[in-house]
C-alpha cells in the first residue's frame, strides 16, 4: 500500500493524473498499489510528467491542488513513490532503463 507522509501528496498526484488524463494512474492512486511491473513503470514515468507539469504551472502562477510551488511536495512524492516501488520489488521500474 502506498503510504503518504502528507495527505497533500495523494491530492497532488490525483490532480495531475486528472489534468494529464492519466486514468490508469488515477486507478493506481485510488487503489493504493500497483499490480504488476507495467503499472510500476507507468507510475514511475507519470511522476516525472507530474514534475514537468508542476514546474510549468509554477512558472505561470497556476494553482495546483491549492499550491503554487510544488518543489517540496514533489520531493515528498518522489520519496514516497520510490520507497513504495522499491519495497514492492519494482526497483528496476523506478530506476528506468539505467538499472
Amino acid at each position: 500500500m502506498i503510504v503518504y507522509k502528507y495527505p497533500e501528496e495523494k491530492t497532488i498526484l490525483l490532480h495531475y493524473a486528472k489534468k494529464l488524463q492519466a486514468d490508469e494512474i488515477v486507478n493506481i492512486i485510488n487503489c493504493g498499489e500497483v499490480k504488476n511491473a507495467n503499472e510500476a513503470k507507468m507510475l514511475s514515468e507519470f511522476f516525472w510528467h507530474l514534475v514537468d507539469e508542476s514546474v510549468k504551472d509554477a512558472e505561470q502562477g497556476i494553482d495546483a491542488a491549492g499550491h503554487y510551488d510544488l518543489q517540496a511536495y514533489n520531493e515528498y512524492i518522489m520519496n514516497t513513490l520510490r520507497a513504495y516501488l522499491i519495497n514492492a520489488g519494482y526497483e528496476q521500474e523506478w530506476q528506468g532503463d539505467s538499472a
Side-chain angles (χ1 to χ4, degrees), residues 52-66:
D52 291 342
E53 194 68 22
S54 71
V55 168
K56 290 178 194 173
D57 286 350
E59 289 172 350
Q60 296 175 12
I62 296 173
D63 179 335

Side-chain angles (χ1 to χ4, degrees), residues 3 6-7 12 28-29 31 40 49-51 53 62 65 67 76 78 88-89 97:
V3 178
Y6 302 101
I12 291 164
I28 291 168
I29 299 305
C31 181
H49 294 296
L50 177 155
V51 170
E53 194 68 22
I62 296 173
H67 302 277
Y76 301 146
M78 181 179 73
D97 295 332

Side-chain angles (χ1 to χ4, degrees), residues 26-66:
V26 171
N27 292 335
I28 291 168
I29 299 305
N30 284 331
C31 181
E33 63 184 5
V34 297
K35 294 182 178 87
N36 55 51
N38 184 52
E39 285 189 357
K41 184 175 180 181
M42 282 192 312
L43 183 59
S44 177
E45 291 172 352
F46 168 75
F47 169 73
W48 297 108
H49 294 296
L50 177 155
V51 170
D52 291 342
E53 194 68 22
S54 71
V55 168
K56 290 178 194 173
D57 286 350
E59 289 172 350
Q60 296 175 12
I62 296 173
D63 179 335

Side-chain angles (χ1 to χ4, degrees), residues 59-85:
E59 289 172 350
Q60 296 175 12
I62 296 173
D63 179 335
H67 302 277
Y68 289 93
D69 183 357
L70 298 179
Q71 183 174 353
Y73 280 111
N74 285 345
E75 290 181 32
Y76 301 146
I77 293 167
M78 181 179 73
N79 290 333
T80 294
L81 297 181
R82 177 178 54 213
Y84 168 73
L85 290 172

